[in-house]
Amino acid sequence: MSSRRRFIHHSILAAAGINTLLLSRCKDLTVQSKSEVTDVFDLDEVTIESLQKMYSAGSTSAEKVTQAYLERIAAIDQAGIKLNAIIEINPDALLIAKALDAERKAGTIRGPLHGIPILIKDNINTADKMMTTAGALALVGNIASKDAFIVEKLRQAGVVLLGKTNLSEWANFRSTRSSSGWSSRGGQTKNPYVLDHSPCGSSSGSGSAVSANLCTIAIGTETDGSVACPASINGVVGIKPTVGLWSRSGIIPISHTQDTAGPMARTVTDAAVLLTALQGKDPQDEATNANPDSGLNYAKDLNLATMQGMRLGIDASLLKRHEEIDDLLGKTLDLLRSNGAAIIEVDYMGPNGKINDPEFTVLKYEFKYGVEKYLQTENFKYKTLKDIIQFNKDHQEEAMPYFQQEILEQCAELGDLQTKEYLLALKNSHEVARIAIDSLLKQNKLNALIGPATGASWCIDKVNGDHWTGYGAYGISAVAGYPSVTVPMGYIHELPIGLSFMGTAYDEQNLIKLAFAFEQLTKARRAPKFIPSI
């Protein structure tokens, strides 16, 4: 991996009743719920389908399920081991759940997400009692005037919005030595598998929360790896959609050519259900007009998915990097072959390496443009990136206790999006990546590209920053604005490793079927044990 790719990843990587197993685990961790729970149902690894069956049978309600999640958050996120994945609880969560129960009782069921508790990342606007801050102290007090488009879709679908998750501040686009999962507003999120290890960023809170069963499903956002990396490192499924499948309006941005929100869940099916519900054309986001198949049901007929006859391309350079991951990956490829897949060695990390420098240039220009446009749409005291930089300097001890803001400072000095440097960089990153992926798929007659999403998680280090452990197979898809689906593959010393499936634009249906078939073959996902250290 080039030094620039390592830098990019450091900068950009930048989800009632609790069963006996859960209670005993909390007890082992000296964590106690604030109040006793009387209803008996299993929230540990619960799925959308299983909750809907319980709702239909009348064995529980959205209000009871929401109460149980709130108690679990109080027990292990805000107290006890203090996972710190949640930055803010929605004070209206129980009222929303109760209203949805009343709708169900009256015969109205909005769809598969009716009454399902969800957490969303704190860079997504909600016009309610919760703030939207991207984890930054400068934005504390920001109550959005309007829901983000995807939040409107969530409310229409009947979810229970539990709250917002912590993240790497400014989606990890502040400093070259930031700590993934740390924000000046929210502090440091922990990895639920090994608590002193990184949850990766920037959707660290969403990945950690859904893995630790603090919600049923979650939403993260990605520019380059910020869904895929925390999905891999927190042992969950993450879908990074094609840019434009989900609207980005009302989300604090980095890059309008690479940004997208995406589902994070414990199963491929749950992630596909959420992906389906939030797609749609938004007049405020022109990228959504390019989707040729708006309205697809990505969760349909997944049980028919198979690896038989599939041709999967993997970059040969990923096969010999770390002896334990080499062994895990080798066994995975053998499993795929034994189930009818052909594994073709190709080169996609090569062209990916060549686009790292222009990618970073693109992101810096687009970050300045996008953030200042966002600041000016709301009633902010701060209107420019330089205003944010000055706030951080004026509040150095609280805003920058561990690392600085050199990326913000670099962005603030740049010109507009008509600058020749920007236009050339965009062509040499975005277009090159798209051509590379499309050519590889066509020339080798591939159904998808695959590769390890990340190496094993590293120890949290707020002083020196992240210690990126390699791989990042999803990178070329991020630069292209193309989709990737990351699924648990296995574990190294209790630390999860995910496999990413990548394809061309709007290839989500194909990738999700491949990911589902892989998930059913491996059954790799297992609930975290909250180990203090290894």
Side-chain angles (χ1 to χ4, degrees):
M1 176 179 284
S2 70
S3 60
R4 174 59 65 188
R5 170 51 67 187
R6 286 194 295 269
F7 175 74
I8 288 289
H9 278 284
H10 285 190
S11 304
I12 305 166
L13 287 175
I18 302 175
N19 64 19
T20 305
L21 175 61
L22 173 60
L23 287 174
S24 63
R25 183 183 299 150
C26 290
K27 187 175 181 180
D28 290 341
L29 292 164
T30 66
V31 176
Q32 298 293 333
S33 177
K34 287 188 174 181
S35 61
E36 296 216 356
V37 183
T38 56
D39 295 304
V40 178
F41 70 96
D42 189 355
L43 283 183
D44 209 24
E45 302 296 285
V46 74
T47 65
I48 293 171
E49 182 182 18
S50 59
L51 275 181
Q52 291 297 353
K53 286 180 178 178
M54 287 188 280
Y55 290 158
S56 296
S59 58
T60 190
S61 65
E63 184 180 9
K64 291 176 182 177
V65 170
T66 299
Q67 181 63 41
Y69 278 129
L70 292 174
E71 290 181 357
R72 179 160 172 79
I73 290 168
I76 69 171
D77 193 72
Q78 299 172 342
I81 59 172
K82 293 186 178 179
L83 200 58
N84 206 36
I86 316 299
I87 203 168
E88 187 170 2
I89 291 292
N90 184 0
D92 292 331
L94 286 171
L95 292 175
I96 294 170
K98 189 174 182 179
L100 290 166
D101 285 336
E103 284 188 18
R104 183 182 294 273
K105 188 175 181 181
T108 299
I109 299 175
R110 301 190 188 193
L113 292 178
H114 190 110
I116 301 298
I118 188 171
L119 288 164
I120 67 172
K121 190 173 175 180
D122 178 42
N123 58 351
I124 304 173
N125 280 353
T126 56
D128 50 22
K129 296 174 183 176
M130 293 187 290
M131 293 183 281
T132 304
T133 68
L137 289 180
L139 299 192
V140 167
N142 172 36
I143 303 294
S145 60
K146 181 182 178 182
D147 281 339
F149 182 85
I150 60 170
V151 173
E152 291 179 2
K153 300 283 283 186
L154 282 174
R155 296 194 198 278
Q156 292 165 12
V159 303
V160 179
L161 186 51
L162 280 176
K164 294 192 174 183
T165 55
N166 197 18
L167 69 160
S168 309
E169 186 173 320
W170 291 111
N172 224 357
F173 208 68
R174 199 190 94 178
S175 171
T176 58
R177 56 181 179 84
S178 61
S179 173
S180 284
W182 184 90
S183 70
S184 55
R185 180 188 171 206
Q188 179 67 54
T189 298
K190 299 174 184 176
N191 186 312
Y193 285 89
V194 182
L195 298 173
D196 65 355
H197 276 57
S198 176
C200 201
S202 65
S203 304
S204 44
S206 297
S208 179
V210 76
S211 184
N213 288 281
L214 303 183
C215 57
T216 310
I217 47 177
I219 292 177
T221 66
E222 173 166 323
T223 303
D224 189 337
S226 290
V227 166
C229 185
S232 177
I233 276 179
N234 292 283
V236 298
V237 175
I239 300 177
K240 198 285 288 189
T242 303
V243 172
L245 185 71
W246 278 11
S247 167
R248 287 88 48 81
S249 66
I251 302 177
I252 299 175
I254 291 179
S255 161
H256 61 265
T257 54
Q258 292 184 209
D259 283 355
T260 180
M264 304 185 78
R266 292 181 292 272
T267 69
V268 172
T269 300
D270 281 2
V273 169
L274 182 55
L275 183 69
T276 299
L278 270 60
Q279 63 185 315
K281 297 187 187 300
D282 175 11
Q284 301 303 312
D285 184 356
E286 64 181 20
T288 61
N289 293 324
N291 183 359
D293 298 312
S294 183
L296 285 178
N297 182 354
Y298 295 103
K300 185 180 180 181
D301 295 332
L302 290 183
N303 59 311
L304 301 178
T306 179
M307 283 294 170
Q308 187 66 43
M310 298 296 106
R311 291 174 60 84
L312 306 174
I314 186 166
D315 192 292
S317 70
L318 298 172
L319 300 174
K320 293 183 179 180
R321 293 196 175 192
H322 183 287
E323 65 278 4
E324 292 182 272
I325 297 179
D326 293 346
D327 182 61
L328 174 60
L329 182 58
K331 291 176 180 176
T332 297
L333 298 181
D334 287 343
L335 177 65
L336 293 172
R337 290 188 188 101
S338 68
N339 282 273
I343 306 299
I344 316 299
E345 291 188 11
V346 296
D347 177 7
Y348 61 76
M349 298 300 285
N352 189 25
K354 295 173 186 174
I355 58 179
N356 291 335
D357 288 319
E359 179 198 13
F360 189 48
T361 298
V362 168
L363 299 187
K364 288 191 292 184
Y365 273 94
E366 293 186 353
F367 179 75
K368 178 187 179 182
Y369 169 81
V371 165
E372 292 189 343
K373 183 178 180 181
Y374 177 86
L375 292 174
Q376 290 160 18
T377 61
E378 299 290 342
N379 188 27
F380 282 113
K381 176 181 178 182
Y382 310 108
K383 298 295 185 183
T384 68
L385 204 48
K386 288 185 177 180
D387 292 340
I388 300 296
I389 291 167
Q390 189 60 51
F391 173 92
N392 289 340
K393 289 179 178 178
D394 293 342
H395 301 83
Q396 173 85 22
E397 291 186 5
E398 299 87 5
M400 300 189 293
Y402 304 114
F403 48 85
Q404 298 299 304
Q405 56 179 349
E406 63 273 18
I407 294 178
L408 299 187
E409 291 168 347
Q410 291 170 23
C411 294
E413 299 305 319
L414 296 175
D416 62 26
L417 298 186
Q418 299 305 312
T419 305
K420 288 183 179 180
E421 180 186 39
Y422 165 73
L423 294 173
L424 181 61
L426 181 62
K427 181 177 180 179
N428 289 335
S429 59
H430 188 64
E431 291 183 26
V432 168
R434 288 186 165 212
I435 291 169
I437 292 173
D438 291 341
S439 297
L440 284 171
L441 293 171
K442 184 176 180 180
Q443 292 170 9
N444 296 281
K445 298 179 180 178
L446 301 176
N447 297 95
L449 302 172
I450 62 171
T454 60
S457 176
W458 53 92
C459 290
I460 292 169
D461 186 343
K462 289 181 282 190
V463 175
N464 297 301
D466 291 339
H467 304 283
W468 172 244
T469 55
Y471 297 91
Y474 52 76
I476 190 170
S477 293
V479 178
Y482 283 0
S484 66
V485 182
T486 301
V487 188
M489 178 170 61
Y491 300 82
I492 305 291
H493 302 293
E494 298 295 333
L495 296 169
I497 307 292
L499 186 72
S500 291
F501 293 80
M502 300 157 285
T504 190
Y506 300 104
D507 201 26
E508 282 83 356
Q509 192 168 51
N510 168 53
L511 298 181
I512 288 167
K513 287 181 177 179
L514 290 170
F516 179 84
F518 177 72
E519 177 187 59
Q520 300 312 300
L521 288 175
T522 61
K523 301 287 186 182
R525 159 72 188 177
R526 62 175 185 245
K529 300 176 183 176
F530 307 103
I531 298 168
S533 185
I534 53 173

